[in-house]
Amino acid sequence: MAAVSVAAAIPKAVAGVFPSPSSENSKRSHFSSLQFPSELRTFRIRNQRLNSKLRHRTLTLVASKAHELSSDLDEILDNSEKPVLLDFYATWCGPCQFMARILDTVSSSMIDKIQVVKIDTEKYSSIADKYKIEALPTFILFKDGKQLDRFEGAMAADLLIQRIEASL
């Protein structure tokens, strides 16, 4: 397993923005004193195959036309045996990328309680418009086709689980 430090990814040009003594080593040491949350300090790169359970827990909607997708989504929301958590995201959204891993954790721990559906707002803007998505990530929880809860922004896995369970 290889690890890449976030601090190594900061360009030298950014180092000049912060006030510090004139030497280059001093500028770098200024960055080394920054404290990132533990989830952001290290990225792990893994070469592992996804198991088949993961594919069943998180659905990413794909269709040839937005109209077909909208009707498929309505069918999923109306006919799902479990409550459905819609995750509206975009590939360029930093908090959305942060939440992807957390959502996998939540999905696996609540596999018997909810079904997660991820919707890329860039590809399916008509669905984002239908649900009046104004911030990313946005989560909407449905049960029997009715909206139970709606919340926006990144949060820790335990808080997300508490929010979902409180709504059910």
Side-chain angles (χ1 to χ4, degrees):
M1 211 180 318
V4 178
S5 171
V6 173
I10 299 174
K12 282 185 180 180
V14 177
V17 173
F18 294 94
S20 63
S22 60
S23 77
E24 190 66 28
N25 289 336
S26 303
K27 290 180 184 178
R28 286 191 190 139
S29 67
H30 179 74
F31 276 106
S32 65
S33 67
L34 292 175
Q35 294 295 312
F36 291 96
S38 61
E39 296 88 10
L40 298 178
R41 282 191 206 147
T42 304
F43 295 107
R44 299 215 184 273
I45 301 170
R46 299 178 187 171
N47 287 330
Q48 295 179 355
R49 286 181 37 193
L50 294 175
N51 62 25
S52 60
K53 276 186 169 182
L54 182 60
R55 291 186 192 136
H56 294 293
R57 284 181 264 157
T58 304
L59 299 177
T60 301
L61 294 176
V62 178
S64 60
K65 296 180 183 176
H67 178 67
E68 290 176 13
L69 179 64
S70 183
S71 62
D72 290 345
L73 179 60
D74 291 338
E75 185 178 323
I76 290 171
L77 295 176
D78 291 337
N79 300 325
S80 177
E81 295 176 7
K82 298 184 270 186
V84 178
L85 179 66
L86 296 183
D87 170 24
F88 290 91
Y89 73 98
T91 55
W92 50 262
C93 169
C96 299
Q97 300 302 319
F98 176 75
M99 286 302 294
R101 185 182 66 211
I102 290 174
L103 204 56
D104 287 341
T105 302
V106 170
S107 179
S108 64
S109 68
M110 298 186 78
I111 192 166
D112 297 331
K113 296 180 182 180
I114 65 167
Q115 177 180 5
V116 176
V117 178
K118 298 174 67 75
I119 301 173
D120 185 340
T121 57
E122 293 290 304
K123 290 181 183 176
Y124 305 109
S125 58
S126 62
I127 295 174
D129 291 343
K130 176 181 177 180
Y131 291 102
K132 296 177 176 49
I133 304 302
E134 296 177 357
L136 295 175
T138 296
F139 302 95
I140 306 176
L141 184 63
F142 287 87
K143 185 175 183 181
D144 300 323
K146 294 179 177 73
Q147 182 176 324
L148 296 178
D149 196 7
R150 178 186 179 115
F151 45 98
E152 300 168 343
M155 62 182 70
D158 57 339
L159 294 176
L160 183 57
I161 290 170
Q162 287 174 4
R163 180 83 185 240
I164 292 168
E165 287 178 341
S167 299
L168 298 177

